[in-house]
Amino acid sequence: MEYYFYTEKMSVGYGRPLIENMKICLKKGEILTLIGPNGAGKSTVLKSIAKQISLIAGAVYLDRQDIGAMSGTELSKKMAVVMTERLRTELMTCEDVVATGRYPYTGHFGILSKEDRRKVKEAMELVQIPEIADQDFTRISDGQRQRVMLARAICQEPEILLLDEPTSYLDVKYKLEFFSVLQELRKKKRITVIMSIHELDLAEKVSDKILCLNGSYMEKFGTPEEIFRSGYLKELFHISLGSFDEENGSMELEAVQGKPEAFVIAGLGMGRKTYRSLQRKGIPFAAGILFKNDLDYPVAKSLAANVFAAEAFEPVPETVVFMAEKELDLCKTVICCRETFGTLETVNRDLLFYARQAGKEIIMPQALFG
Amino acid sequence: MQRKKKVRRLMAFLLLAAGMMIFFAMNICLGSVEISLPEIVKSMSGQGMDWTKGRILREIRLPRTVAALILGGALALSGYLLQTFFHNPIAGPFVLGISSGAKMMVAAVMVFFMGKTGGLSSVTLILAAFLGAVLSMGFVLIMSRRVEQMSMLVVSGVMIGYICSAATELIVTFAEDADIVNLHNWSRGSFSGMNWDNVKVMAAVTAAAFLAVFFPAKPLGAYELGEAYAKNLGVNIRILRMLMVILSSVLSACVVAYAGPISFVGLAAPHLVKSLLGTAEPVFMIPACFLGGSVFCLFCDLLARNLFAPTEISISTVTAVFGAPVVLWVMVRRRK
């Protein structure tokens, strides 16, 4: 299949090149997300594609047409943008702001036709803002403003949408709805989307392609499956405190360093809250014995000083049990997050028994939370 | 909602038009010699009028009133363009030093060339004023690249205004007495001494400039949203900006060439008109601004002539009294 959008040896930057030789290709209707640390050049790339700043080298093609050669009006019918810059308005209602998206289609004095009005209304309904249509644009919340801006871009009827951090002020409800709208636009109108967002977990879920930028070159361009490999994002974002788990898309703060003071017996995802609670309290702990497919396992790996784990669906090796017992000997307290143990999970029951024998203080996690 | 807005805009235009007619009539009727409206109507229908009154009406009051109407509109339009250009609500030809620059050049041309060639044509004066306006504008543009803050831009405009005024004073000081008789009144701003030839030229220049501003009303509206968005909507920013600079300079130059520097009209009229209209859309703002500036100037000139008659006060004295509070009001409202 033909690529709808592609760049050829594109170099972008303000005056001098920031990122050189970029090659991006997208099919019609694909969603591309730019990710990367602050200052990596996400906005610069978006602005360059939108012709807000001129390319240093190379070219951008839409439907095999060089956008550098397109007239402003021609491009405005194909490409709409939502930038981080605030729209400057005076005495304009939200509806007026949305209606500015019709600009490329109106006549010489910009009078809206009935058809234009209908499209404005449709766009507002799509992002659920009809109730604020008559309010002044300067008096609405940041989240509402982002939705108005999206409606404005939608009623410009573009083939490609450029969005610079479009969800930064949206609460969880509208964030989810925002991405549903994007998917709907893609399904119904085959709109191609290029956007930058900071929510890595959402980026993975909604994108067809992901472009990783790091401030000096294009790190990676590929499908989410290719990008979200274990450990890569920690590297891209130079994460030194805490961790990002690519598999589950969740962030954890940095583990407490030091000799474990508590041993947490968990499993079946029942230990995660306890791990985080201990991390907040600054108590180093050991976690065990977990199967590697357990929901607790990635969290324990991020937060525990020491994790005792075994391959899933395999018997737990004796060495692991032995090491866990040794570790438990050194801990003052044992926290048991489980009330019962599964038939094939006798190791944890034995470990709890071992702790009792050793005279350790055994507490329930509720004691911690209280 | 849409209907309500339409009604409001219509009412605003009707109000401005009515205001203009009322003040126009008052301007030609009131003065040291009172001429009643029935007398004027009668004289228009061919019946004779007192000879002195007729002359006063035809050769003094009418040209002066028409000039106030045209130049008031030109000032307001120039102010509107500057406010839009700089995205700055307190920009205006006087505040940014453009009027003073024009004044300096006109004074220089008057003093240095008038003696040699006798009278000077309107066109020469306008060209000199335009040159001065463009010089000041150029300086303000350079400053606007260096200073980000709105207030600093205005401060730099005020400073260039002072420099130009000082230079004007210097020129006047070394001029011969005969040259400065006219200059003195004019340099403080006044609509007095207009004749029909003046009015013809200023009408032509202002009409051309008005059309040139009205024509790109749509891209101006997009420009108001911010440059990034205007660009995305297909507006050619560079050409539009150039057009705005040239037109605002032409308009304020035209005013200065005939009436000298007049403060606060360009600044206050657009704000008053905007709150009256309830919209900032250029398609409505451009004609309404012109009307608003006309009404404002007609009103102020009426007071300037009649308040302490027979002594005439300078027009800027009156415009400042009514214009400055508007600026304060704008700034207070923006803080909220």
Side-chain angles (χ1 to χ4, degrees), chain A residues 52 72 76 79-81 83 85 87-88 90-91 93 95-96 100 103 106-110 117 134 149 152 156, chain B residues 1-2 5 87 214-219 222 224-229 231-235 274 278-280 283:
Chain A
Q52 306 272 353
S76 66
M79 181 187 279
V81 300
M83 294 288 168
E85 280 100 349
L87 199 70
R88 239 189 280 255
E90 227 177 333
L91 299 170
T93 63
E95 190 177 355
D96 292 336
T100 61
Y103 183 96
T106 54
H108 187 80
F109 287 107
R117 291 246 168 252
D134 290 335
M149 292 305 286
R152 181 186 166 277
Q156 204 175 328
Chain B
M1 191 70 190
Q2 291 300 328
K5 276 192 200 164
H87 297 294
F214 193 65
F215 193 69
K218 188 180 157 185
E224 283 180 342
L225 300 174
E227 272 152 64
Y229 293 99
K231 228 172 193 176
N232 176 243
L233 292 174
V235 176
K274 203 178 287 165
T279 173
V283 189

Side-chain angles (χ1 to χ4, degrees), chain A residues 293-322:
Chain A
N293 65 341
D294 201 289
L295 287 171
D296 282 342
Y297 179 67
V299 185
K301 259 191 79 177
S302 301
L303 297 180
N306 215 343
V307 183
F308 300 93
E311 292 304 325
F313 310 116
E314 294 286 345
V316 180
E318 273 179 17
T319 48
V320 174
V321 178
F322 178 73

Side-chain angles (χ1 to χ4, degrees), chain A residues 56-84:
Chain A
I56 288 174
V60 177
Y61 294 92
L62 269 189
D63 231 354
R64 278 189 287 175
Q65 266 184 294
D66 182 355
I67 68 161
M70 276 189 214
S71 76
T73 320
E74 213 178 328
L75 185 63
S76 66
K77 288 182 184 174
K78 293 187 181 222
M79 181 187 279
V81 300
V82 176
M83 294 288 168
T84 45

